[in-house]
Amino acid sequence: AVIASIVVLAIVIIVAIVILLKLPQRVNANEVDTVFPLSENAVKTSSGLVYDELVVGEGPAAKAGDTVSIIYTGYMADGQIFDSNVEGGQPYEFVLGAETVIQGWDEGIVGMQVGGARLLVVPPSLAVGALDPFQVIPENTTLTYSITLKEIK
């Protein structure tokens, strides 16, 4: 009975550690490669993505498989804009989780609600990584995106 209790306790401890390692963590702003200020509520996921909820939207949350429309601006780590659809005003539409955009968007937009805005700090492993097909972004660059969710279909 004592051995069984020790085994059960060990399993409970291991499960607790695994759960804690997978939970989103609060962010130390000094450890994030962006010039944008992050709130105390910014979260770092287990993949390394950092998201900061700027505006909470309304209605159902976006989930994998939904078609979403966003307005975005992409920034280099130094704050220089490299891409944006704000000026044109035409939302960018894609299927969330279908791997048609960078992994940082597929992960970072899940849970947003229409009208919501997030700042995403995307590490190279979830962005273009070592190779940018457009040759605009330097190798292994952390990117920051300002995203506003306009519609979920």
Side-chain angles (χ1 to χ4, degrees):
V2 173
I3 293 175
S5 297
I6 292 172
V7 170
V8 169
L9 181 60
I11 290 171
V12 169
I13 291 171
I14 290 169
V15 168
I17 289 170
V18 168
I19 290 171
L20 287 174
L21 290 176
K22 294 212 179 261
L23 288 176
Q25 303 170 3
R26 293 289 177 227
V27 176
N28 179 345
N30 297 327
E31 297 174 359
V32 180
D33 192 12
T34 185
V35 297
F36 296 94
L38 297 172
S39 77
E40 63 184 31
N41 296 321
V43 174
K44 184 174 187 175
T45 68
S46 60
S47 69
L49 175 75
V50 173
Y51 67 89
D52 198 0
E53 204 80 39
L54 304 175
V55 176
V56 176
E58 296 181 357
K63 61 188 180 314
D66 288 342
T67 298
V68 295
S69 296
I70 64 168
I71 297 290
Y72 71 92
T73 300
Y75 303 90
M76 303 286 202
D78 65 2
Q80 175 186 346
I81 294 174
F82 68 86
D83 192 17
S84 180
N85 68 349
V86 172
E87 293 289 323
Q90 185 66 36
Y92 181 73
E93 186 174 291
F94 64 97
V95 176
L96 195 56
E99 298 181 4
T100 57
V101 294
I102 63 169
Q103 287 178 288
W105 282 15
D106 272 343
E107 180 181 343
I109 294 172
V110 167
M112 288 184 72
Q113 297 166 287
V114 172
R118 280 185 182 170
L119 194 68
L120 303 179
V121 183
V122 183
S125 61
L126 301 177
V128 294
L131 180 63
D132 171 20
F134 307 108
Q135 299 181 350
V136 174
I137 301 166
E139 188 173 316
N140 294 315
T141 299
T142 296
L143 304 175
T144 301
Y145 289 93
S146 171
I147 306 267
T148 300
L149 183 59
K150 302 304 277 183
E151 185 178 11
I152 300 173
K153 295 181 181 178

